[in-house]
Amino acid sequence: MAHLQSRLSRALTAAVLALAPATAFAGKATDTLTYASDTEPENVSPYHNNVREGVIIARHVFDNLIYHDLATGKYEPQLATDWTWVDPQTLDLTIRKGVTFHNGDPLTADDVVFTLNYAVDPASKVVTKQNVNWVKSAEKIGDDKVRIHLVGPFPAAIEYLSGPVVIYPKAYFQKVGLDGFAKAPIGSGPYKVTAVVPGKGVKMEKNTNYWKGSPLGTPSIGKLEFRVIPDQETQLAELMTGGVDWIWRVQADQAKQLEAVPNLSVLAAETMRVGFLQLDARGQTPGAVPLKDVRVRQAIAYAIDRKAMLDNLVRGGARIMNSACFIDQFGCTDKGVPRYDYDPAKAKKLLADAGYADGFTIDLYAYREREYAEAVVGYLRAVGIKANLNFMKYAALRELSRAGKVPIYYQTWGSFSVADASAFTGAWFKGDEDDLARDDEVTKLLKTADTTVETETRLKTYAEALKLIAERTYLVPLFSYSSNYAFTNDLSFTAQPDELPRFFKAKWK
Amino acid sequence: MLAFTLRRLVVAFSVALTVSVIAFVLLHLSGDLATSIAGAEASPAQVAEVRHQYGLDRPLTVQYLDWLWRALHLDFGNSFYFRDSVVSLIATRMPVTLTLGAISLAISLIIAVPLGVLAAVFRGTIIDRLALTFCVLGQAIPTFCLGLGLIIIFAVNLRWLPVSGTAGWQNYVLPSVALGWYAVPAVMRLSRNGMLEVLSADYIRTARAKGLSPAAVVLKHALRNAIIPVVALAAVQFGFMLGGSIVVEAVFSMHGVGHLAWEAIARNDFPVVQAVVLILAAIYITLTFLADVINALLDPRMRVA
């Protein structure tokens, strides 16, 4: 039914697009950028929601300690003017002076210490635990000096400090509590929240006192308004009538049609999400026995024409991935990693060598982009592997996989937008239920890489682990995903692979 | 009459109970709640923690009875997703849904009753046929489809009305039409049949014989009697509309109970889904019950049922 609905509504959308007349947009005239997305964060407090819409608000309303320049890959000072590793488990930071919160309170080392300790306190009921569970505690060691004690060596801490870890105002938070904060959050970022309307969205206004010299720059657009619109077709209709100025995650086929609308821009940009096949290399399920042979796994990798899939299905800025991570993540590399370019003849030969000249039958499970999974099934059939596609809801599939019942798993991973390889490999090769390979050698190497502070050793160890994973073909990386943004022509907007729109950098043309 | 009312009450209560069991089972069949609450990228340990924290590691019957016991005390618990209590979530969103339901009902009555009367008066003519065709069309178009169609015509192309939201009265026009449309066929057919029955009654012949104008006969004498079953049906349709608002609110991005239910289903937010289903069912059952009682009061023959 849902499938039929989406088909029908797409047909309707096509009709809208064909008929849409040109109009002037209201956004620029009122200096208000209205952006729409389908999900409402359960709580706008950044540590108390797990959704992308919440992350967007967090980055506009709060400041980070460190800034990750995605263009150069370098970490730059933000609230922390400098930082040093005292030892692999201790990080010292100097906090910038002269920054104030939206309510006028100065931001000090006390706020930083409070935020970190609050985020790891079980009583705070933080839902983004994966972002802070590396912190043991924080303490003030000088007027503007903060020391973070880590649970264990964790070099990716810098990446987390420049991403999900944002700084709260201690005095205000303690005064209003979490419930008060959820209704009226206060940060030090380029935008301040003026209203949180449950079910509808969040309104923000430019912070005219935003501190000079911030790597985020000076915000240009006066007001931001986030509107929750659950239905994609409704979002499109709003965009075309000027009700909203910016939408994202537009389906590839709709994006193509939108390009024809004169006053709209469509931007296709790569994301950190990587699609891949996870193979049950230990043959836990009876049907997965052939996968125990590395030649069969390699045959699967050779059988898939990733370039054709990329050109015809994914489109827009996405790239082929050869390693078990997103290529721009720190530590991720495909140098020295074996490649499996499309070669069905070689695939057939490998299968014959492994004793499956006539192929075999196996189950393939997928939960999103059915057409991608269908393409994979088609390629596998072409070399004799009769894969049956089982399309399921994510939660049910995840459960099935953790119970060891999924031979081939079409998975995707967005690494929480963390630009460090540990956010990818750590999820799939940790030796837990999600690790179908359970290769001790790989797990050990990754553990070393995850906990080594010394950069060169870290890079080398990741490269070694990634090489092993590819050689033994536990996971067949396919390609990165792309995402389509559509917005009014009046807006100058650029996208980043971490799928985090930065409206503080956007301008009216 | 008392026995009849009691019997009906027992039936109503069992229906509510059955509905809550079905909603509970369906939700648990749709996949592991803990996995979906923990989020797409949660680790196995986090899932296990959530499972325990929300009491999802207990046997299903225990979970259900625990929920039922608290629901009987009007404690629907807290949403798994939002921090708020389910009762306050529903209370803040109910006005939008009730407004939408009421306007939709009014629209459907305004369209359906005159259409039914016309069809009855001009029985067997082209007008009757047209009205019936209209009726079939109304029943055949899915609400979401009609909603999007209305958006395309009146919001995107003509720019007369806003696409979505609840900012002003204009925002209620399209969703109300989309939702009210669904009730038109039933109401229209009932008005038509009621009119036909009444028009052949003796007192109408008398009224005509008196020399009253045809319009006076139809509007003053016939319609008043023919409309009684329509009123009962309208009450039931109002219940349907509250249910139908789930789709309409999602399409028009109106933040009422329907939208809340939509979100809650998508997130497997089981306390919210359970409460919304139960409340909508309760409203529906109450309306049906009242309609039954009213009918029974009006017509003693119905009391046997």
Side-chain angles (χ1 to χ4, degrees):
Chain A
M1 182 63 198
H3 196 61
L4 175 72
Q5 276 202 11
S6 85
R7 282 273 161 93
L8 266 171
S9 42
R10 274 198 212 169
L12 284 171
T13 314
V16 181
L17 295 168
L19 300 170
T23 39
F25 287 81
K28 188 181 179 183
T30 54
D31 198 14
T32 305
L33 170 64
T34 307
Y35 67 98
S37 189
D38 58 7
T39 308
E40 178 190 5
E42 61 263 47
N43 187 326
V44 291
S45 165
Y47 294 103
H48 296 91
N49 73 71
N50 245 328
V51 298
R52 218 92 255 286
E53 288 76 2
V55 180
I56 299 174
I57 296 166
R59 290 296 180 91
H60 286 79
V61 176
F62 298 89
D63 269 318
N64 286 109
L65 288 167
I66 298 168
Y67 176 76
H68 187 179
D69 188 336
L70 290 171
T72 62
K74 294 230 156 55
Y75 292 99
E76 310 278 355
Q78 192 168 339
L79 287 179
T81 50
D82 63 72
W83 56 94
T84 42
W85 287 101
V86 179
D87 62 59
Q89 276 175 258
T90 314
L91 182 68
D92 280 0
L93 304 106
T94 311
I95 307 304
R96 187 181 298 277
K97 287 189 170 149
V99 176
T100 54
F101 286 106
H102 300 148
N103 62 354
D105 290 352
L107 187 150
T108 65
D110 289 315
D111 298 301
V112 178
V113 170
F114 163 77
T115 305
L116 290 168
N117 287 331
Y118 173 79
V120 293
D121 183 356
S124 313
K125 296 230 162 88
V126 162
V127 300
T128 55
K129 287 200 188 79
Q130 71 281 353
N131 292 330
V132 288
N133 59 11
W134 51 272
V135 177
K136 193 164 139 211
S137 64
E139 62 171 325
K140 192 174 163 182
I141 52 165
D143 188 29
D144 55 353
K145 295 255 191 288
V146 171
R147 173 166 289 177
I148 304 176
H149 299 282
L150 279 68
V151 174
F154 188 62
I158 305 295
E159 171 63 24
Y160 282 88
L161 289 178
S162 67
V165 179
V166 295
I167 302 306
Y168 279 10
K170 179 185 180 188
Y172 176 75
F173 191 92
Q174 285 181 332
K175 197 178 102 199
V176 298
L178 178 58
D179 288 332
F181 198 72
K183 290 185 185 89
I186 278 184
S188 62
Y191 282 88
K192 50 187 176 188
V193 171
T194 51
V196 179
V197 194
K200 287 187 186 168
V202 176
K203 290 181 180 178
M204 289 168 266
E205 207 176 274
K206 178 159 75 179
N207 173 11
T208 45
N209 290 325
Y210 191 53
W211 55 283
K212 300 281 170 291
S214 164
L216 303 190
T218 314
S220 160
I221 293 171
K223 286 179 192 151
L224 299 180
E225 191 174 334
F226 162 48
R227 269 188 66 189
V228 183
I229 302 180
D231 189 87
Q232 252 232 320
E233 278 66 37
T234 312
Q235 289 182 10
L236 282 171
E238 283 285 14
L239 180 69
M240 282 184 295
T241 55
V244 306
D245 305 301
W246 182 99
I247 60 173
W248 65 342
R249 295 169 176 172
V250 182
Q251 305 274 349
D253 54 343
Q254 293 184 341
K256 215 166 176 182
Q257 293 167 324
L258 270 183
E259 279 167 5
V261 180
N263 39 27
L264 294 181
S265 303
V266 177
L267 176 70
E270 187 184 33
T271 73
M272 281 174 74
R273 184 164 294 278
V274 173
F276 60 89
L277 300 179
Q278 194 187 18
L279 306 177
D280 178 8
R282 289 180 302 144
Q284 295 181 89
T285 41
V289 172
L291 297 180
K292 286 167 90 168
D293 191 320
V294 67
R295 289 169 294 187
V296 172
R297 302 200 296 269
Q298 287 170 341
I300 291 175
Y302 279 121
I304 299 164
D305 190 350
R306 295 176 293 166
K307 184 159 185 320
M309 286 180 73
L310 198 67
D311 292 344
N312 298 306
L313 293 172
V314 192
R315 298 191 278 246
R319 284 178 285 176
I320 288 178
M321 294 289 136
N322 295 301
S323 272
C325 44
F326 176 67
I327 194 68
D328 290 348
Q329 282 175 322
F330 182 88
C332 185
T333 178
D334 55 7
K335 289 202 182 68
V337 172
R339 292 186 185 221
Y340 299 95
D341 293 326
Y342 180 52
D343 192 344
K346 198 160 182 184
K348 276 190 188 151
K349 188 175 175 301
L350 280 165
L351 283 176
D353 290 349
Y356 295 100
D358 298 327
F360 57 89
T361 305
I362 198 161
D363 280 321
L364 185 144
Y365 287 80
Y367 71 102
R368 54 181 280 171
E369 284 91 24
R370 193 187 177 101
E371 63 273 30
Y372 297 5
E374 280 169 350
V376 169
V377 167
Y379 286 123
L380 293 182
R381 292 210 168 198
V383 298
I385 301 172
K386 285 170 277 303
N388 300 313
L389 177 60
N390 300 275
F391 202 76
M392 294 175 83
K393 288 275 259 181
Y394 190 77
L397 180 51
R398 199 84 202 261
E399 205 184 350
L400 205 64
S401 155
R402 283 173 178 167
K405 291 178 180 159
V406 175
I408 305 183
Y409 192 175
Y410 182 96
Q411 245 294 2
T412 74
W413 193 247
S415 303
F416 308 106
S417 292
V418 173
D420 192 279
S422 61
F424 196 106
T425 51
W428 302 103
F429 294 98
K430 268 266 162 77
D432 59 9
E433 294 98 315
D434 285 333
D435 180 359
L436 297 186
R438 312 261 175 109
D439 184 320
D440 289 341
E441 206 179 336
V442 172
T443 310
K444 226 170 113 192
L445 274 173
L446 287 173
K447 201 175 170 198
T448 312
D450 288 355
T451 53
T452 307
V453 179
E454 214 274 299
T455 307
E456 283 310 308
T457 326
R458 207 166 171 240
L459 289 174
K460 227 181 81 199
T461 326
Y462 273 126
E464 237 173 288
L466 292 169
K467 188 169 162 240
L468 277 189
I469 292 170
E471 271 172 7
R472 297 174 186 174
T473 331
Y474 295 129
L475 186 153
V476 181
L478 298 172
F479 35 71
S480 57
Y481 274 53
S482 76
S483 185
N484 294 298
Y485 303 82
F487 44 88
T488 158
N489 268 344
D490 292 336
L491 187 70
S492 144
F493 171 83
T494 48
Q496 305 285 357
D498 59 4
E499 282 175 277
L500 207 148
R502 289 158 171 86
F503 296 122
F504 47 79
K505 298 223 165 158
K507 285 182 175 60
W508 297 116
K509 276 185 194 157
Chain B
M1 186 63 202
L2 182 69
F4 167 79
T5 313
L6 283 177
R7 249 197 332 266
R8 283 274 135 191
L9 259 179
V10 171
V11 170
F13 188 75
S14 354
V15 170
L17 202 66
T18 314
V19 165
S20 81
V21 173
I22 293 173
F24 182 86
V25 172
L26 279 182
L27 213 61
H28 280 82
L29 280 180
S30 69
D32 179 39
L33 289 182
T35 310
S36 58
I37 294 163
E41 310 197 326
S43 70
Q46 284 169 319
V47 173
E49 197 183 315
V50 165
R51 197 187 309 281
H52 181 71
Q53 203 180 330
Y54 289 97
L56 295 168
D57 47 359
R58 300 171 299 168
L60 280 188
T61 37
V62 174
Q63 287 184 47
Y64 177 74
L65 290 175
D66 179 48
W67 174 82
L68 184 66
W69 179 249
R70 287 191 286 131
L72 288 175
H73 294 82
L74 292 180
D75 171 14
F76 291 100
N78 282 345
S79 157
F80 282 174
Y81 187 71
F82 298 99
R83 283 165 49 87
D84 304 316
S85 77
V86 173
V87 171
S88 80
L89 276 175
I90 292 178
T92 52
R93 289 160 199 244
M94 205 41 134
V96 170
T97 303
L98 289 180
T99 314
L100 181 64
I103 301 176
S104 303
L105 187 64
I107 288 180
S108 69
L109 289 179
I110 290 167
I111 298 174
V113 174
L115 214 57
V117 172
L118 276 177
V121 173
F122 298 100
R123 183 185 184 183
T125 66
I126 184 82
I127 295 177
D128 189 16
R129 298 256 162 245
L130 279 178
L132 276 173
T133 312
F134 184 74
C135 204
V136 171
L137 275 180
Q139 201 86 75
I141 301 177
T143 313
F144 80 92
C145 198
L146 178 64
L148 287 170
L150 290 173
I151 291 179
I152 292 173
I153 298 169
F154 295 99
V156 175
N157 285 305
L158 298 173
R159 308 271 162 131
W160 289 350
L161 294 158
V163 176
S164 66
T166 47
W169 65 268
Q170 296 96 330
N171 291 85
Y172 284 89
V173 179
L174 295 182
S176 303
V177 172
L179 189 55
W181 196 270
Y182 185 74
V184 167
V187 176
M188 189 223 129
R189 293 201 60 127
L190 198 64
S191 328
R192 180 178 177 272
N193 292 348
M195 275 307 274
L196 285 177
E197 207 174 302
V198 173
L199 283 174
S200 60
D202 290 344
Y203 74 93
I204 295 295
R205 205 182 324 142
T206 313
R208 286 208 170 111
K210 276 199 300 189
L212 288 178
S213 72
V217 172
V218 170
L219 295 177
K220 269 181 123 174
H221 295 259
L223 186 59
R224 280 196 189 177
N225 284 307
I227 205 91
I228 292 171
V230 174
V231 173
L233 178 74
V236 178
Q237 288 294 335
F238 186 70
F240 268 128
M241 292 200 174
L242 295 182
S245 69
I246 292 182
V247 174
V248 170
E249 286 181 18
V251 169
F252 290 92
S253 186
M254 306 180 81
H255 303 279
V257 176
H259 182 237
L260 181 69
W262 171 280
E263 287 180 315
I265 293 167
R267 293 179 187 128
N268 283 352
D269 191 349
F270 133 81
V272 174
V273 178
Q274 281 288 89
V276 171
V277 166
L278 194 68
I279 288 170
L280 290 187
I283 293 176
Y284 183 68
I285 290 163
T286 312
L287 291 171
T288 320
F289 171 72
L290 285 179
D292 280 351
V293 172
I294 290 168
N295 274 335
L297 277 176
L298 291 173
D299 186 348
R301 282 173 301 175
M302 308 267 299
R303 290 178 204 169
V304 195

